[in-house]
Amino acid sequence: MKLAVVGGGSTYTPELIDGFARLRDTLPIEELVLVDPAADRLELVGGLARRIFAKQGHPGRIVTTADLESGVEGADAVLLQLRVGGQAARNQDETWPLECGCIGQETTGAGGLAKALRTVPVVLDIAERVRRVAPQAWIIDFTNPVGIVTRALLQAGHKAVGLCNVAIGFQRKFAALLDVAPDQVHLDHVGLNHLTWERGVRLGGPDGADLLPKLLAEHGDAIASDLHMPKEIVDRLGVVPSYYLRYYYAHDEVVRELGTKPSRAAEVAAMEKQLLEMYGDPALDEKPALLAKRGGAYYSEAAVALASSLLRDTGDVQVVNTYNNGTLPFLADDAVIEVPAVVDANGATPLPVPTLEPLYAGLIAGVTAYEDLALRAAVLDGRATSAQGRNAVFTALLAHPLVGQYTYAEGLTDRLLAHNREHLAWA
Amino acid sequence: MKLAVVGGGSTYTPELIDGFARLRDTLPIEELVLVDPAADRLELVGGLARRIFAKQGHPGRIVTTADLESGVEGADAVLLQLRVGGQAARNQDETWPLECGCIGQETTGAGGLAKALRTVPVVLDIAERVRRVAPQAWIIDFTNPVGIVTRALLQAGHKAVGLCNVAIGFQRKFAALLDVAPDQVHLDHVGLNHLTWERGVRLGGPDGADLLPKLLAEHGDAIASDLHMPKEIVDRLGVVPSYYLRYYYAHDEVVRELGTKPSRAAEVAAMEKQLLEMYGDPALDEKPALLAKRGGAYYSEAAVALASSLLRDTGDVQVVNTYNNGTLPFLADDAVIEVPAVVDANGATPLPVPTLEPLYAGLIAGVTAYEDLALRAAVLDGRATSAQGRNAVFTALLAHPLVGQYTYAEGLTDRLLAHNREHLAWA
Amino acid sequence: MKLAVVGGGSTYTPELIDGFARLRDTLPIEELVLVDPAADRLELVGGLARRIFAKQGHPGRIVTTADLESGVEGADAVLLQLRVGGQAARNQDETWPLECGCIGQETTGAGGLAKALRTVPVVLDIAERVRRVAPQAWIIDFTNPVGIVTRALLQAGHKAVGLCNVAIGFQRKFAALLDVAPDQVHLDHVGLNHLTWERGVRLGGPDGADLLPKLLAEHGDAIASDLHMPKEIVDRLGVVPSYYLRYYYAHDEVVRELGTKPSRAAEVAAMEKQLLEMYGDPALDEKPALLAKRGGAYYSEAAVALASSLLRDTGDVQVVNTYNNGTLPFLADDAVIEVPAVVDANGATPLPVPTLEPLYAGLIAGVTAYEDLALRAAVLDGRATSAQGRNAVFTALLAHPLVGQYTYAEGLTDRLLAHNREHLAWA
Amino acid sequence: MKLAVVGGGSTYTPELIDGFARLRDTLPIEELVLVDPAADRLELVGGLARRIFAKQGHPGRIVTTADLESGVEGADAVLLQLRVGGQAARNQDETWPLECGCIGQETTGAGGLAKALRTVPVVLDIAERVRRVAPQAWIIDFTNPVGIVTRALLQAGHKAVGLCNVAIGFQRKFAALLDVAPDQVHLDHVGLNHLTWERGVRLGGPDGADLLPKLLAEHGDAIASDLHMPKEIVDRLGVVPSYYLRYYYAHDEVVRELGTKPSRAAEVAAMEKQLLEMYGDPALDEKPALLAKRGGAYYSEAAVALASSLLRDTGDVQVVNTYNNGTLPFLADDAVIEVPAVVDANGATPLPVPTLEPLYAGLIAGVTAYEDLALRAAVLDGRATSAQGRNAVFTALLAHPLVGQYTYAEGLTDRLLAHNREHLAWA
């Protein structure tokens, strides 16, 4: 079994390696290729990766390369974990929207649109090259914004599944609170990537008893506090929103908070510098504790499980991003949603979802409209005029439930273009 | 043919009477009953109504009464034009939402929810009493919020159609700009009541040539200026939003504007006082010019046309509020939409609507979710606990695209309750 | 010794009575007259007042009357504690400014201006009548806004001193934290009424050692938490602002908070209803615990001390509101400031104040400019045209550091007038 | 007569040169030195400057140099027109404050503080070096923020006067409206640099008839429209504020406007690029029309007049920035104000100013407090700790009437530091 990780030079990779090592029974990797154009980073990360495998006695081979085609050739699965423009671009995504009174966040709102516009063309190009040399490979996309990127991949006919760690994070947290094994916890998780709610927490599987009311009754404070939301609101909803919902449910409060402190990107950039220094230490042979603060907890567990289901045709249930295909009747079939799905060698098939309350359906519909328009803007190429491009960006922003006003949409469009011109073929 | 107007003591009624008089060939009314509990107003308005009919030689009989049952008995159509709580309640709807930084408007946003909560139970009670004494009668609802009220009526099994003057207003304006007869102008009007866009302006009928691009090219300034929106935005959209869209597309700007001037309700209340004084003048036998400033232009034309289609089974096309029934595939069948429909003795059947752009579909879906929740709150009766009632109000507000944040939803809920307690059975 | 309390029917009066009873050695009152036009309240409050005196063995006589002149005739001191318009007016002061995005508060900002406009003419009329029948009497003003009201009284030539409980509150709190007797704590208190900072906390008197650094080091958390301000901010300032400063230092945050909950006036009104019911109980012979939540802690102590100093010519130091007379060199002599002053039979003479940091001086100058303009507006009488009146209100609002913008000033002016027309001679 | 212009390579210099050429009778320059470290710019600008002199037959010699000392040696006057950090720094000053909901402007608010912090140390260093080689020279400061920079220079004992073109701009505009010669118009101009009001417009001199009421009555629309303020506001004030007052009187409106368009710095940078290309054309021998859009109209007239008064001891009246010295009694003597002053060989002596209305005095006092604290922060050198520096910046921001809230002050301080670290000795 051969896996390739595109963007393998990420400081986050040791987390993934650690998971591959620990879970080698689930996913017996023979060859793991880390593909990255950044040779310096790749060497540091690759070295540590090999030391982790060695320490844990993993027999797999770890290869590093800057060459995509040779790296992915013959792979069974290709994991995409890119950040086009790096933390510098993220820093911009997090700051200029604030100039217009809108949240600055890397996947939500105007910053997320900027990221989508930079990322989709790069990912589609990679996927096309992957298809040429590894037509059988599954593409597992971690690259944000996962919903839009996965839709772009599926729309272009790729064998792709989108993955996020929000669901597995809740699964682990709820399991701990309930004092049961994580795999005993099934989530009635529903929505779009970074716009989800846990409507039920079932013991044993999709048909198990719903322990969410009990969880909220006994651990409501802890759950609300993790979300930085008042407990009364969570009680009132009766479901657990992901913390990304705070950008919606408390938008103006978050904007003001963001205006009182440095950006998250600045923090992460500092952390990454430190991590790379650590990785260079030949004595280090495990993921350092600091990595936990970098974000992305349990991504490796989720990735191993998903790859295993796809490659070993397990048919078990996992929360993934895939085509709606009628699951949420108010969305088009080709919308990409994030729900529990049966995953096997044919890919992901969503489990049925009971009728969704209007409170959630309305917001999902609004954000899906934005995602549709965002993808249309993201796939514009050099044949589009700059007026067409600008208009596509403006329209996506006006459609976004967190923007919705033309004054903001205009100002955001100006800034998005000014800060991302080099990434936009039509600009 | 017998018509009854519930709320017939409105200062607006002379506009309706004037229309009935002018258009008596289209709608040959034999008996017109003005029903209103406010005897003073009814006498003033009824007197003027009779003088208008007399002056214009209309042979119909005008009856005034405070008694609903006797007034509507045997009617062919019953027009509802109520304002529960009067201009005083409207004034509140327009002011307290501003305290939370949200727009104060009588049909849009939190003020509109307050109005729905006050109005739906009253309208349902009236409709039930109408059904007992005039089971055959069509109910034509002008009462705002028309979308929610119409849905309430249909859901309770009434023969109801909802009517608004936004579409006819655009038809007349565009006809004037194009220099053609109004009935030559067919609008590709789509959306929900007070949330609509004109996607096409066709000459001669639904299949006529679309003159909207020409209209925008030649009269874009005038159209944008009427909407108080920048011309660039209208050009960018390529469709003509109703002016209610400004509450969405320029929400924060409107909030600030509202904060710099007295409420619209205060203006209208002053105007109504003046109008009633005029109506008392026995020499007055036509609608006074001041009435045009009162709002509601062309309502009488629209009402006559609709009543005529329903009662004379014409099968022509009119813009009305009725069940979606698959017209917009992303909404439930029992959502109420505002579109051109074939109207005949069986009621209204929407014309097919070409696929809607995500920019509009997303917002329509969001507002429909709110309307659904608003109606659920509005039909709560005394069996609901005050906690259930409060929660229903909070949920509807949180679902509203113009609120969407729990801090605002909480503050608005407090204020809505404080100002409307007497109208809420569960409070 | 005879004292009169104008507004003696306030639910707050039992607090005052309790203080008079406990501190009768400091201020040996022989006759106490409660003057109030509200006969019902006065009877309830007067009854309880007599029972409190009786229980505590105070020999003084308590008289109740609606007649100002007979009540104050021959009094040595007259305490003013009015609320023109009652809690209903306060409720308005706390709500309509929020419609314009400005704080709604009874003494600060636009609400405080409304209160000043309602109150100053009433107080000046009372003072004039007092002067006729008790020319020797000192007027002690608790009536808010104390700064503006005191300036109005002084400007009209009255023997007046303004009093607030903010300083005594800090004195008691700091004494408790330092574990010393309250009268051992001298505050370097400076500013305007409801706009003050504690720059030093000295042991034993004005020349004692400054324990503020120690207090902040050891009890900074408690102090900041009482103020609802972050500890870092208090540390950064190095002085203790009064909690009214939060309306300035965290204005927008407070506006949003106020938009999420019912008004303080609504709470107080509910409490007053409860208190009056309690007062009617003939078995009650002490101030009920609930009264502590009503606000105004230690007012009675402060009032007794001040009256004693004025009437017994003690020459001790108290924090009062009086003419600046050069104390703060950047203000006019006839500005009213709130500082420690030597108080004797000639009135209050401020202690010298060391040069004030620009951070505080700038804000004091700005608010003094507003107070000056507010007073000019408040003394306009029926000879002013409504345009002059409106302009005076607008100008005061534009000068207020918390308003400062003409859009807000216009909207606030409209609302102030609409809600207070009956109180404005020129409107 | 020798003049030196420090920052002589500015694209703006040809405007100055044109003025020197036209007004050579008023100021007979023999040698003009353009000092600038940017050799490329200096060559382009210097070339055009010589061609302008040549074309207009000015006999003076124009020298260009990067060496300050040789350039200013023996000069009679040194003009300072610097922009530390160039348009790139300005672009930052105009954008990051918007992230916190505050205006981004190069001289007003947080952006102005950043500019002061970058500029004051550089200007003080230059002035010190000037003093060594040209101790007799007058320093005329155009460098923004002029008020703070001039105060820094005066405080360090330099022979300095600050100059701005706002007053001369009004003089020219009013003269045109009144159809009189500009030098016949005396302005009752008062305030601080970029915070001024015209309280009177007198014909012939300080004692002439005040034509401001006539101007407002006849040309109020034009005047208000130039200021982008509603005419009603200007009428209500009865004085003419400078357009910088819009940042105060309509702060939130301007913030939103700024959020809807690119920064002014970006526009100016594009313009400067174009101008420099033009300057390189050897056929160009006059200032190009485009330069008028660059800002700074009539600066050359003002500079010539001021230099002439100082160097030729004329004793005429000009609007300048100089020490208050009791002119405005509510400010310290060493505050720098902008008022008409008698200018002669001894420098500038303000004319007396009639008592200022509280509406203006309050704001001036508040901004002076900020300027005082801004200067304290700006003169911190490497001996200050970074905590002291940060605190000084925070305090100045909290004191600024346009900030005033600690949440904003914190966020602004973070951003100011992040974007200006290299310019701050203590950071």
Side-chain angles (χ1 to χ4, degrees), chain D residues 105-108 144 166 194-195 242-248:
Chain D
Q105 213 277 332
E106 64 163 339
T107 60
T108 302
N144 273 324
V166 163
H194 291 189
L195 190 87
S242 100
Y243 71 89
Y244 287 95
L245 261 303
R246 195 164 171 253
Y247 296 116
Y248 292 83

Side-chain angles (χ1 to χ4, degrees), chain B residues 375-427:
Chain B
L375 182 51
R376 293 187 199 186
V379 297
L380 289 180
D381 58 23
R383 290 167 300 182
T385 65
S386 103
Q388 287 169 328
R390 200 184 190 291
N391 210 41
V393 170
F394 172 85
T395 304
L397 286 166
L398 187 59
H400 199 298
L402 290 180
V403 178
Q405 304 186 39
Y406 54 68
T407 50
Y408 300 144
E410 285 283 359
L412 291 167
T413 301
D414 282 339
R415 284 162 175 76
L416 187 153
L417 264 65
H419 287 284
N420 293 280
R421 207 169 293 277
E422 66 195 293
H423 297 283
L424 304 173
W426 45 264

Side-chain angles (χ1 to χ4, degrees), chain D residues 238-294:
Chain D
V239 304
V240 180
S242 100
Y243 71 89
Y244 287 95
L245 261 303
R246 195 164 171 253
Y247 296 116
Y248 292 83
Y249 290 157
H251 177 269
D252 295 0
E253 195 175 303
V254 175
V255 167
R256 281 182 299 273
E257 280 175 23
L258 292 175
T260 64
K261 52 183 188 190
S263 70
R264 170 74 181 150
E267 281 175 32
V268 172
M271 222 180 281
E272 295 208 327
K273 215 179 138 205
Q274 251 186 294
L275 285 171
L276 286 173
E277 275 167 27
M278 291 175 176
Y279 294 176
D281 174 2
L284 184 74
D285 57 5
E286 54 184 22
K287 59 174 180 178
L290 176 64
L291 188 49
K293 296 193 184 162
R294 163 74 184 72

Side-chain angles (χ1 to χ4, degrees), chain C residues 2-3 36 72 99 137-138 155 200 222 236 239 278 346 372 406 424:
Chain C
K2 173 178 175 179
L3 255 68
D36 207 299
V72 303
E99 294 175 27
W138 275 103
Q155 201 171 273
R236 218 179 262 287
V239 305
M278 289 176 176
N346 293 314
D372 188 343
Y406 54 68
L424 304 173

Side-chain angles (χ1 to χ4, degrees), chain B residues 145-401:
Chain B
V146 164
I148 294 170
V149 170
T150 302
R151 187 168 179 175
L153 288 166
L154 292 173
Q155 201 169 273
H158 295 289
K159 289 176 65 180
V161 183
L163 187 62
C164 177
N165 70 333
V166 164
I168 195 169
F170 274 125
Q171 185 199 46
R172 303 295 159 124
K173 179 188 306 176
F174 294 160
L177 292 173
L178 292 169
D179 201 17
V180 300
D183 62 5
Q184 283 304 297
V185 173
H186 171 88
L187 298 173
D188 290 344
H189 178 101
V190 68
L192 310 179
N193 182 244
H194 290 189
L195 190 87
T196 49
W197 297 263
E198 311 305 324
R199 299 165 83 200
V201 178
R202 302 187 180 276
L203 208 58
D207 301 319
D210 182 8
L211 301 182
L212 182 54
K214 175 182 150 81
L215 264 173
L216 287 178
E218 293 175 9
H219 304 284
D221 279 324
I223 291 169
S225 157
D226 267 15
L227 298 170
H228 296 284
M229 293 185 195
K231 181 169 180 302
E232 301 79 57
I233 298 304
V234 178
D235 284 343
R236 217 178 263 286
L237 297 178
V239 305
V240 180
S242 100
Y243 71 89
Y244 287 94
L245 261 303
R246 192 162 174 255
Y247 296 117
Y248 292 83
Y249 290 156
H251 176 269
D252 294 0
E253 194 174 303
V254 175
V255 168
R256 282 182 301 272
E257 279 175 23
L258 293 174
T260 65
K261 53 185 187 190
S263 70
R264 170 75 181 151
E267 280 175 31
V268 172
M271 222 180 281
E272 295 207 327
K273 215 178 138 206
Q274 250 185 296
L275 285 170
L276 286 173
E277 276 167 28
M278 290 175 177
Y279 295 176
D281 174 4
L284 184 73
D285 57 4
E286 55 184 23
K287 59 173 182 180
L290 176 64
L291 189 49
K293 297 194 182 160
R294 164 74 184 71
Y298 306 119
Y299 243 130
S300 59
E301 273 83 353
V304 165
L306 177 57
S308 166
S309 303
L310 290 167
L311 302 184
R312 308 178 86 186
D313 193 23
T314 60
D316 58 344
V317 172
Q318 310 207 17
V319 174
V320 295
N321 287 263
T322 192
Y323 268 153
N324 176 47
N325 278 335
T327 311
L328 300 181
F330 55 89
L331 296 186
D333 283 357
D334 67 345
V336 162
I337 61 174
E338 186 173 292
V339 287
V342 174
V343 184
D344 57 25
N346 293 314
T349 307
L351 295 181
V353 171
T355 303
L356 203 54
E357 297 82 355
L359 180 60
Y360 312 120
L363 191 52
I364 288 172
V367 175
T368 298
Y370 152 76
E371 292 200 346
D372 188 343
L373 293 164
L375 182 51
R376 293 187 199 186
V379 297
L380 289 180
D381 58 23
R383 290 167 300 182
T385 65
S386 103
Q388 287 169 328
R390 200 184 190 291
N391 210 41
V393 170
F394 172 85
T395 304
L397 286 166
L398 187 59
H400 199 298

Side-chain angles (χ1 to χ4, degrees), chain C residues 8 35 38 67 85 94 111 125 140 220 307 361 390:
Chain C
V35 181
D67 184 61
E94 291 181 349
D125 174 64
I140 297 179
R390 200 184 190 292

Side-chain angles (χ1 to χ4, degrees), chain A residues 323-336:
Chain A
Y323 268 153
N324 175 49
N325 278 337
T327 310
L328 300 180
F330 55 89
L331 295 186
D333 283 355
D334 66 345
V336 163

Side-chain angles (χ1 to χ4, degrees), chain A residues 260-273:
Chain A
T260 65
K261 53 183 188 192
S263 70
R264 170 77 181 149
E267 280 175 32
V268 172
M271 221 179 285
E272 295 208 327
K273 213 178 140 206

